[in-house]
Amino acid sequence: MAVAARVVEEEDPDVEMMKRDDEEEVVGEAWDYKGRGAIRGSTGGWRSASMILCVELNERLTTLGVAVNLVTYLTGTMHLGSAASANTVTNFLGTSFMLCLLGGFLADTYLGRYLTIAIFTAVQAAGMAVLSISTAAPGLRPPPCSSSGGGCAAANGTQLGVLYLGLYMTALGTGGLKSSVSGFGSDQFDESDGGERGSMARFFSWFFFFISMGSLLAVTVLVYVQDKVGRRWGYGICVVAILTGLLFFLAGTTTYRFKKLLGSPLTRIAAVAAAAWTNRNLPLPSDPSMLYHHHSHDLANQNLPHSKQFRFLDHAAIVETTTAEAKNNKRNGWAACCTVTEVEEVKQLVRMLPTWATTILFWTVYAQMTTFSVSQAAVMDRRLSTSFVIPAGSLTVFFVAAILLTVPLYDRLLAPLLRRLTANPRYDLSPLHRIFVGLLLAALAMVAAALTERARRDAAVTLSVFYLLPQFLLVGAGEAFTYIGQLDLFLRECPKGMKTMSTGLFLSTLSLGFFFSTALVTVVHKLTADSRRPWLADNLDEGRLDNFYWLLGGISVVNLAVFVAAARGYVYREKRLADAGIIHNQR
């Protein structure tokens, strides 16, 4: 680990890169594991990126492998109620993605991406080891239900405590790892080089492919092992997979390219907010040119034009003293004066908040695919033949298949069709268009889920589990549009110095979506538990799960309308810069 420490220490932007003894080309602003200038031919590229992709494959295999089949373990083995089991799953997933913000902060400010990935991968492996022990040790599980009708004893505090310890250690590892793995992979390619810039674009495609492959293995092979061989064996496989991925990652240390720590953008945001509040009583100048401007010729720190929105934040750029004094104050970090560009960066984040907020509900719908939809599958006919029964958790394979099919179908069929219809060879669905499609499909999925559940409950015979396909396929296709649209929006629209935080903001919508699912399930269960037909009964045949789906469908429609209202007034950053004459509009 000392190798990365040398990179972490390189924080002064004025320190020149050490020259190599040979004459090979050195990649700008990148260092090797010894703190020397990174040689293009011997560092970075696909060799290094492939080591990083292995880590992401195993992370997705583990996280989804736990989540999609956890509800059956909690209800069948730990004897928890359906609502409590669903909330445990969504809390686990929500915590995993929320901790990406912590991982991103540590990576940007203290550890660097390399050390963050290495440390948190080890934490994830330790968490899975605890989970394996909790499922293997007889004393950490309640006794089986009595066959004489004596009922089922729920898990006690110690048994749940060990289970939750394993779950949340795994969540901590997942959050820290996921916050940095995509960024460190992109660090292996030089954006200033045309060939490597193209390779970076292909890296993100392969990154999404490896995520999908990890998901596919999780919902097929891993779930089958958990159900047919034993839960402890399934979790044990995860431990081995994570440690193998960590070894591959460490094996690539001598080939990686490292970047300087730039500090957390949260500090810059806080500085603008503090300066705006400090100067709140000062009058704003009638001419924006009188605000504090700092002109930079560095493309990585592009000057942003002043905008008229969110005028309160302009107070942060009021210059009370001389420009020289303002510059000196800026060196203190917490100044009474910020540049217009710094203020505009914060404004850009504020502009994105309505879109950010309205994408949260998609992941609440997504959460039902790993909770109540799995519970539905468990009580339906899952036989493919007399000798093979599909594990309930493996129904999510159709969810993953929809993702894998939607992306190429869009690229190969829908996008070319749109270009022909618009007669614009560059036309494509914008990020906001993609998100709209995803939110629409999520609403339709809840309608399909409600209709299916009503048909299942009222049927005279046990329905085939394949009646659940519409809701899985719709949410899967919706994720392909929403995930890519969100990722594109946050990476495209966030200021250049806030790319890592933009990933955290994107992933926080997943976290909040899962937490909102927990809150919604808790409220609905409490309000309907004493009714003649509770919505979320432990026995689905005695409940009205379809009403819960209808509720989610109605909320999704309202959320979609709010999204449309917010999106209609949104102006892309590229267009604003083009209108200001700073860049040429490429669209």
Side-chain angles (χ1 to χ4, degrees), residues 142-159:
C145 296
S146 173
S147 58
S148 60
C152 303
N156 60 39
T158 301
Q159 292 164 342

Side-chain angles (χ1 to χ4, degrees), residues 254-276:
T254 59
T255 71
Y256 293 142
R257 294 174 186 171
F258 300 88
K259 299 293 181 68
K260 290 181 181 179
L261 298 181
L262 299 177
S264 174
L266 293 175
T267 303
R268 303 208 303 276
I269 296 172
V272 171

Side-chain angles (χ1 to χ4, degrees), residues 501-551:
M501 193 187 73
S502 70
T503 302
L505 282 173
F506 158 50
L507 294 174
S508 71
T509 63
L510 281 74
S511 173
L512 294 174
F514 294 130
F515 285 138
F516 181 67
S517 177
T518 297
L520 190 63
V521 167
T522 301
V523 171
V524 168
H525 183 62
K526 183 176 182 179
L527 293 178
T528 66
D530 296 331
S531 62
R532 188 175 63 87
R533 294 293 296 272
W535 288 14
L536 304 176
D538 293 342
N539 184 339
L540 292 185
D541 293 333
E542 298 174 357
R544 293 299 305 269
L545 180 60
D546 54 320
N547 284 350
F548 180 72
Y549 284 143
W550 282 121
L551 174 64

Side-chain angles (χ1 to χ4, degrees), residues 44-357:
W46 283 109
R47 178 179 56 177
S48 300
S50 62
M51 304 288 189
I52 300 168
L53 289 173
C54 288
V55 178
E56 177 57 27
L57 172 68
N58 291 319
E59 179 278 319
R60 188 66 169 184
L61 170 71
T62 299
T63 304
L64 198 59
V66 171
V68 297
N69 209 27
L70 183 59
V71 71
T72 60
Y73 180 75
L74 295 173
T75 55
T77 302
M78 304 300 281
H79 306 151
L80 300 183
S82 60
S85 299
N87 284 348
T88 298
V89 175
T90 51
N91 285 339
F92 164 69
L93 288 171
T95 303
S96 298
F97 289 109
M98 185 58 73
L99 287 170
C100 290
L101 293 174
L102 172 64
F105 174 78
L106 292 175
D108 284 343
T109 311
Y110 299 109
L111 299 177
R113 289 168 176 165
Y114 171 86
L115 277 179
T116 301
I117 293 172
I119 291 171
F120 284 96
T121 301
V123 171
Q124 188 185 46
M128 287 306 304
V130 173
L131 273 180
S132 301
I133 294 171
S134 73
T135 58
L140 296 178
R141 305 190 307 272
C145 296
S146 173
S147 58
S148 60
C152 303
N156 60 39
T158 301
Q159 292 164 342
L160 288 176
V162 175
L163 177 68
Y164 291 155
L165 175 63
L167 282 175
Y168 288 103
M169 284 182 66
T170 303
L172 176 61
T174 298
L177 166 61
K178 204 166 187 66
S179 67
S180 298
V181 67
S182 61
F184 192 57
S186 66
D187 286 345
Q188 308 312 307
F189 302 96
D190 180 13
E191 284 191 89
S192 65
D193 180 83
E196 292 200 22
R197 185 166 58 249
S199 295
M200 183 188 294
R202 292 195 298 275
F203 168 79
F204 285 115
S205 297
W206 279 105
F207 185 78
F208 187 74
F209 175 81
F210 271 70
I211 287 177
S212 302
M213 286 303 300
S215 301
L216 187 62
L217 291 172
V219 302
T220 53
V221 177
L222 196 57
V223 170
Y224 183 83
V225 171
Q226 291 173 6
D227 284 0
K228 301 300 181 182
V229 181
R231 182 88 42 169
R232 63 185 183 275
W233 291 103
Y235 290 166
I237 289 173
C238 290
V239 175
V240 174
I242 296 168
L243 292 177
T244 302
L246 178 58
L247 290 176
F248 269 96
F249 176 75
L250 295 177
T253 298
T254 59
T255 71
Y256 293 142
R257 294 174 186 171
F258 300 88
K259 299 293 181 68
K260 290 181 181 179
L261 298 181
L262 299 177
S264 174
L266 293 175
T267 303
R268 303 208 303 276
I269 296 172
V272 171
W277 179 256
T278 300
N279 299 337
R280 65 189 182 279
N281 295 322
L282 298 178
L284 286 171
S286 57
D287 185 356
S289 64
M290 297 176 65
L291 297 172
Y292 177 41
H293 291 263
H294 175 68
H295 297 286
S296 172
H297 300 288
D298 182 5
L299 292 178
N301 297 285
Q302 192 175 55
N303 293 305
L304 298 178
H306 176 266
S307 63
K308 296 180 180 180
Q309 290 177 297
F310 314 117
R311 295 270 292 171
F312 173 76
L313 292 174
D314 287 341
H315 286 271
I318 295 177
V319 183
E320 255 198 310
T321 56
T322 65
T323 301
E325 290 173 331
K327 290 179 180 178
N328 289 332
N329 287 339
K330 281 300 295 173
R331 294 193 184 100
N332 296 327
W334 294 94
C337 181
C338 299
T339 68
V340 168
T341 292
E342 290 170 332
V343 172
E344 289 301 322
E345 287 180 342
V346 176
K347 285 185 180 182
Q348 177 57 25
L349 292 179
V350 175
R351 290 187 190 98
M352 296 172 65
L353 288 180
T355 302
W356 170 85

